[in-house]
Amino acid sequence: MAAARPQPSAPFVSRELNGENLLDELAELRNAQVAQKHLEDMVRALRELEGSRVSEAVTRLKSLATNRFSGQPVIASLLVRWSTKLKTELDVGLLVSHLERMTLVSALLGAFRRGAERLPKGGKA
């Protein structure tokens, strides 16, 4: 009998992980005026987690929140909140991917906003 393949935990199989959840997190970051460079710094730090055991990842997320991102309370809160949802090793990679997507979407939306600000008042180029 073959061993069962590990499955991600519930928050990471949710259809809304990279949909509504991502948009809610982006809104929270935008309301707090978190700079794009801080999100990119977070993703660089999180890439080191891929392949980590859950316990190591949880410890590292909490450490990043309290040390490296203590000056960015919204990012710190996001990291702590997600650290409590990690249950399997698969979750670690899925979390990194989710936060990478969020950072990418944030960059794209920022570029669109800057482009829209440069348009004349009528909205046409």
Side-chain angles (χ1 to χ4, degrees):
M1 183 166 167
R5 284 182 72 190
Q7 297 292 316
S9 58
F12 297 95
V13 293
S14 166
R15 294 179 58 177
E16 295 305 322
L17 174 66
N18 289 307
E20 189 175 325
N21 290 0
L22 184 136
L23 294 174
D24 288 345
E25 290 169 346
L26 275 174
E28 182 181 4
L29 293 164
R30 181 160 162 70
N31 288 340
Q33 298 180 339
V34 173
Q36 183 67 29
K37 67 180 180 177
H38 296 300
L39 295 177
E40 292 166 5
D41 186 35
M42 173 191 67
V43 167
R44 276 190 296 278
L46 291 177
R47 285 187 180 136
E48 298 171 7
L49 293 178
E50 288 191 285
S52 297
R53 302 185 85 188
V54 173
S55 58
E56 296 167 19
V58 168
T59 301
R60 180 80 173 121
L61 285 169
K62 289 179 179 179
S63 174
L64 284 169
T66 56
N67 298 317
R68 191 166 181 178
F69 295 103
S70 61
Q72 298 295 318
V74 175
I75 292 177
S77 173
L78 182 72
L79 294 175
V80 169
R81 188 168 54 238
W82 276 110
S83 74
T84 64
K85 297 177 183 184
L86 295 175
K87 304 294 180 219
T88 72
E89 274 69 29
L90 289 174
D91 295 348
V92 177
L94 292 171
L95 174 60
V96 173
S97 294
H98 170 70
L99 295 175
E100 284 174 335
R101 272 187 208 93
M102 184 186 68
T103 299
L104 179 60
V105 170
S106 174
L108 290 170
L109 290 174
F112 287 138
R113 268 189 228 101
R114 288 187 301 280
E117 290 169 359
R118 292 186 179 121
L119 289 175
K121 290 277 185 195
K124 294 182 181 179

